Amino acid sequence: MTIKDTPEEWEIRATETPFVGNKTSVRTDDVVMPDGKVVRRDYQVHPGSVGVLALDDEGRVLCLKQYRHPVRQKLWEIPAGLLDVPGENPLHAAQRELYEEAHVKAEDWRVLTDVYTTAGGCDEAVRIFLARDLSEAEGERFEVEHEEIDLEYARVPVEELVRGVLAGELHNNCLVVGVLSLVAAQHGDGLDALRPADAPWPARPFDV
């Protein structure tokens, strides 16, 4: 038996969009269940995101601490951001986020993992990249605003992040998934065996 997610779409009898926000919206679908009953499902429609686990030559991960209003906490995270344009190449978006949030560039890029953050209530898909061979970006720093004005930065050893995740001290989805995937890859076939940065992403098809 192959353990693999598979595409499938059940019949939708009706759909509406009761809320449209700046970046996301809420959709309501009337979905036909296997027993023939029609059940209403509400979920957030999301453009998709990218995250960057930037690993330096000393085995440290570039992290930033940012206020997240919905959970009323400042969370340690990895650089991440939205796919601003439909069909946008996720690698280009990841390179942009690493530059804008950390003023860092990387020469070696791989796909670390792809996830749905909250599949029961949101269609957000996230591609998390591994970025290596880091250096400071050229030119002026990107002008930040809103929550990003208050960012804190640190380069944290991988083992310290793993400890924090398992101790329940670190909660950001991209950081948790990225760090644990990194360790799994290191103890598996190695980082060079990860998918190339332009690997297909069925959840968010893109132009190469």
Side-chain angles (χ1 to χ4, degrees):
M1 180 179 178
T2 301
I3 303 299
K4 182 179 180 180
D5 297 336
T6 55
E8 185 167 346
E9 186 168 350
W10 293 357
E11 180 185 354
I12 298 173
R13 291 281 174 85
T15 185
E16 59 186 54
T17 306
F19 171 79
V20 177
N22 184 32
K23 296 291 185 180
T24 66
S25 60
V26 173
R27 183 173 297 161
T28 298
D29 291 339
D30 292 339
V31 186
V32 181
M33 297 291 111
D35 62 0
K37 293 181 180 178
V38 178
V39 177
R40 178 156 288 192
R41 292 288 180 256
D42 304 312
Y43 57 99
Q44 183 184 20
V45 178
H46 195 284
S49 307
V50 292
V52 184
L53 194 144
L55 185 67
D56 69 16
D57 293 338
E58 298 179 37
R60 302 174 302 174
V61 176
L62 174 62
C63 299
L64 50 91
K65 196 174 189 182
Q66 182 170 350
Y67 176 66
R68 293 301 187 182
H69 185 70
V71 296
R72 307 300 198 272
Q73 292 193 40
K74 292 185 73 174
L75 302 180
W76 281 106
E77 307 180 353
I78 58 176
L82 299 175
L83 295 171
D84 291 331
V85 181
E88 181 178 18
N89 188 311
L91 174 60
H92 299 165
Q95 291 170 332
R96 179 185 68 237
E97 293 300 329
L98 185 60
Y99 163 73
E100 291 182 356
E101 293 195 349
H103 201 66
V104 168
K105 63 179 182 179
E107 300 301 324
D108 187 278
W109 290 84
R110 310 275 173 151
V111 174
L112 191 52
T113 190
D114 299 324
V115 296
Y116 291 113
T117 55
T118 320
C122 179
D123 71 352
E124 181 184 15
V126 180
R127 168 158 282 189
I128 302 176
F129 289 91
L130 172 66
R132 294 181 292 175
D133 193 4
L134 309 179
S135 61
E136 185 173 354
E138 299 173 355
E140 296 183 1
R141 295 189 69 93
F142 182 77
E143 186 174 349
V144 297
E145 60 181 358
H146 306 311
E147 289 91 344
E148 294 179 347
I149 294 174
D150 193 42
L151 290 180
E152 300 175 44
Y153 297 90
R155 294 199 180 199
V156 186
V158 172
E159 56 270 21
E160 176 61 18
L161 292 174
V162 172
R163 185 208 63 77
V165 168
L166 299 181
E169 298 170 355
L170 299 171
H171 306 90
N172 175 261
N173 184 286
C174 286
L175 184 146
V176 171
V177 173
V179 167
L180 297 185
S181 296
L182 172 71
V183 173
Q186 289 174 326
H187 288 81
D189 295 331
L191 301 184
D192 290 335
L194 291 169
R195 287 173 291 162
D198 60 352
W201 190 15
R204 292 294 185 275
F206 58 91
D207 300 324
V208 178

